[in-house]
Amino acid sequence: GHFLLTKLLLTHLLRAKNRYQPGSGNEEEAGRIVNLSSVTHHFAPANEREYHITGLADSKRLPLNNGIHDRHFWLGSALPGLSSGTYRESKLAAILFSVELNKRYGGMGLRSIAVNPGAVSSDIWRNESHLVQKLYKILYLTPEQGSSTSLAGAVGAIPKEAIYLQPYWQPELKRRGQQSSNKGISFRWRYSLPFPMTEMLGPYMGYAITQPRLPMDGKSSEALWNVS
């Protein structure tokens, strides 16, 4: 999985040297890790149901909706058939994995960022009807547009405090940043926590630094790391 692959590559990532233009605020970094998230991370509630996990000493009965994305939550999310929201939980995990990587290895130069590619008209919809595929081509981003956040996350001179990129203009602008020097990448913008619907579909703008919807306890990324 993502965690094991990243751990196996950490030694090489920490030795890497990435250099950016002077004055960019991050002239030199070690390797960079981009985790693919989604707008669905907004819909990953804490302990959405009672997980009954067999074979674990403390798994007799876990609390319902305790408001914390804790060890129980992540264990329940990882076991097939126990969670009704595995996909959205995995997309929240992608962001929290980046958060924890930065906490643990940011001081050594490593950088991680999570990205939402947006709704993309790709071959993932190949089993849908011709009419549905045609509709998605009209409404959704092209694969090239959908790659913008991943490309910006991988090679862009992204401010160090940024943790999440998404590709749509949002109605409530927080503040505007500097123009990117990367060809094909749009302006850098910063948004506060968006309304999820406007992060599903909207005017495409390349990429925007945006505040994700994270658990408020502040310990969820560590709990995820410890059970991974």
Side-chain angles (χ1 to χ4, degrees):
H2 301 71
F3 183 84
L4 178 58
L5 176 61
T6 303
K7 289 283 283 185
L8 292 173
L9 293 173
L10 266 177
T11 301
H12 301 288
L13 289 166
L14 289 169
R15 290 175 180 168
K17 297 295 181 185
N18 294 313
R19 292 180 175 86
Y20 298 88
Q21 292 182 351
S24 64
N26 46 354
E27 284 78 9
E28 184 172 300
E29 294 179 358
R32 191 178 288 190
I33 299 166
V34 179
N35 288 308
L36 197 65
S37 185
S38 162
V39 64
T40 59
H41 84 273
H42 289 280
F43 308 106
N47 285 336
E48 65 193 88
R49 56 178 292 181
E50 294 181 0
Y51 295 135
H52 297 273
I53 309 173
T54 58
L56 298 176
D58 59 347
S59 64
K60 295 287 176 91
R61 188 167 181 166
L62 302 179
L64 176 65
N65 290 324
N66 63 10
I68 301 173
H69 294 70
D70 56 10
R71 177 173 179 270
H72 296 313
F73 175 83
W74 294 118
L75 286 174
S77 300
L79 295 180
L82 292 178
S83 171
S84 62
T86 302
Y87 180 81
R88 60 183 182 244
E89 290 159 358
S90 72
K91 295 308 179 181
L92 173 63
I95 304 175
L96 292 175
F97 188 29
S98 286
V99 169
E100 194 65 19
L101 280 167
N102 290 331
K103 285 181 182 178
R104 292 172 181 261
Y105 299 102
M108 302 168 70
L110 188 72
R111 178 77 189 282
S112 183
I113 192 163
V115 302
N116 168 19
V120 180
S121 177
S122 68
D123 64 358
I124 194 174
W125 309 111
R126 60 188 176 276
N127 294 323
E128 298 291 342
S129 69
H130 177 71
L131 181 62
V132 169
Q133 291 185 49
K134 195 169 184 179
L135 179 64
Y136 288 170
K137 281 187 178 180
I138 296 172
L139 295 176
Y140 288 178
L141 305 180
T142 66
E144 290 77 13
Q145 291 173 326
S147 69
S148 295
T149 52
S150 294
L151 288 170
V155 301
I158 306 295
K160 291 184 178 180
E161 69 274 12
I163 192 65
Y164 181 69
L165 305 179
Q166 57 84 29
Y168 300 114
W169 175 87
Q170 299 296 314
E172 291 189 9
L173 180 65
K174 189 174 183 182
R175 64 189 176 96
R176 180 176 175 173
Q178 299 175 347
Q179 186 174 4
S180 172
S181 61
N182 296 320
K183 185 178 180 181
I185 301 297
S186 188
F187 290 90
R188 290 208 302 255
W189 299 70
R190 302 191 190 196
Y191 291 110
S192 55
L193 186 65
F195 183 64
M197 287 299 295
T198 62
E199 201 187 321
M200 291 179 180
L201 287 174
Y204 168 74
M205 58 174 296
Y207 75 92
I209 299 166
T210 304
Q211 179 184 346
R213 191 179 303 274
L214 299 181
M216 299 190 67
D217 55 53
K219 300 178 181 179
S220 298
S221 61
E222 182 179 359
L224 171 66
W225 184 280
N226 290 337
V227 300
S228 296

